[in-house]
Amino acid sequence: YTDNQVSGFAKKTNAFQHPSIISIDAGYSNNSFTLCCLYYNFTTSKVHTACVIEIMPTKGRKINFNRVYTNVILPIAKDNHAQILLADQWNSIDLIQRFTSDIKGAKSKIFSLKRKHFDQARALLVNKNALLPTPEIALRTILTSEVSNYRSYFINNPVAHLAHQMTTVKDVSTVRPPEKGDGFTDDIFRAWVLGAALIHDPKIQEILQKAKIKLGNVNSMPAPLFYGRSQGLISNNMNRFRR
């Protein structure tokens, strides 16, 4: 925290040899800034989630987007060979303009999520075609705990918070997107759905295919440690995750 604002730093932990996409949900004060980095395995036709990030402002603090871009988005984009930045908020315009300026040949798009995108993301999980990192908190604990304050419970636990959001979003209509659960939020979930659904867009697939050829067919990344499977992705409960 500096100057009553919050930011973060991204630290590279291992080599990454896949072209990827980044999806963000850029909350400013009450909501979190969230980022998901995903890539598509053209051999298995599965979507992999390489990283999940949440910067959660508390006590009236606000997100410093300039520092977030410089210290989080740009390093992740470069280290993960990001080809596209997707955003679900119009207040992300400056971020995506800087992204396409700093990453040669990269694309960006502001996109409004619709019900079909949530249905597509749910189908990926149900059919075991989406893989996610292991949560920092045990899944059994996430599913059985009473979370009175998600801001304190899930701080520094973004993957666990994503799993919790998948279990608590509410299906309010057959034609409208799901809504955040009572007393909870859905920022990471929305960022993940944005990337997971749109990564199958033919234009994005073409961009990733071309980038894959340039990088070489290297499959050195370890597989994520569990499949996400949820009959309740857009209901009030999750069926289960499987290791």
Side-chain angles (χ1 to χ4, degrees):
Y1 291 104
T2 57
D3 305 324
N4 205 38
Q5 296 182 327
V6 61
S7 179
F9 292 91
K11 180 181 179 181
K12 183 177 180 179
T13 58
N14 58 324
F16 189 87
Q17 297 295 333
H18 302 274
S20 68
I21 68 171
I22 290 176
S23 53
I24 63 174
D25 190 289
Y28 178 54
S29 57
N30 185 46
N31 296 326
S32 298
F33 172 90
T34 60
L35 177 152
C36 293
C37 179
L38 304 95
Y39 71 93
Y40 186 80
N41 188 315
F42 287 95
T43 302
T44 63
S45 299
K46 296 185 185 298
V47 177
H48 296 244
T49 305
C51 72
V52 176
I53 289 176
E54 178 179 35
I55 300 175
M56 193 186 312
T58 59
K59 300 179 180 179
R61 297 181 175 96
K62 301 182 185 302
I63 300 291
N64 186 311
F65 285 127
N66 182 57
R67 294 184 185 127
V68 167
Y69 177 79
T70 302
N71 299 324
V72 179
I73 298 175
L74 192 57
I76 288 175
K78 290 180 176 179
D79 289 338
N80 292 277
H81 311 291
Q83 307 298 308
I84 299 166
L85 176 64
L86 301 169
D88 187 31
Q89 295 284 345
W90 286 103
N91 60 7
S92 306
I93 290 177
D94 179 63
L95 296 178
I96 67 174
Q97 287 176 340
R98 294 174 67 181
F99 174 80
T100 52
S101 175
D102 290 334
I103 305 294
K104 184 178 180 180
K107 308 293 184 183
S108 63
K109 185 176 181 62
I110 293 177
F111 202 89
S112 180
L113 283 170
K114 297 179 174 60
R115 173 59 187 236
K116 66 179 182 180
H117 301 116
F118 291 91
D119 291 342
Q120 290 166 5
R122 178 182 183 275
L124 286 173
L125 293 172
V126 171
N127 295 321
K128 303 181 186 178
N129 287 324
L131 291 86
L132 300 98
T134 299
E136 305 86 353
I137 300 171
L139 287 167
R140 184 180 297 275
T141 302
I142 296 172
L143 296 174
T144 57
S145 294
E146 292 290 334
V147 179
S148 59
N149 185 347
Y150 69 85
R151 292 183 182 275
S152 59
Y153 191 89
F154 290 110
I155 193 165
N156 295 324
N157 297 301
V159 182
H161 200 187
L162 171 59
H164 181 263
Q165 290 176 19
M166 287 179 172
T167 73
T168 56
V169 290
K170 299 188 300 183
D171 195 6
V172 295
S173 168
T174 58
V175 295
R176 288 166 49 198
E179 298 179 355
K180 61 185 70 177
D182 296 335
F184 300 122
T185 187
D186 61 353
D187 310 86
I188 316 175
F189 172 64
R190 291 183 64 88
W192 186 83
V193 168
L194 181 64
L198 293 189
I199 202 169
H200 292 90
D201 181 272
K203 292 182 179 179
I204 292 180
Q205 288 275 301
E206 181 181 357
I207 290 171
L208 294 177
Q209 279 276 23
K210 290 179 178 178
K212 177 176 177 289
I213 294 172
K214 290 182 179 179
L215 287 172
N217 189 18
V218 179
N219 293 306
S220 59
M221 283 291 291
L225 297 180
F226 76 91
Y227 286 104
R229 188 176 80 165
S230 169
Q231 297 290 344
L233 173 62
I234 48 177
S235 68
N236 291 321
N237 54 70
M238 177 178 284
N239 202 21
R240 65 186 175 105
F241 281 91
R242 188 175 73 175
R243 288 186 182 275

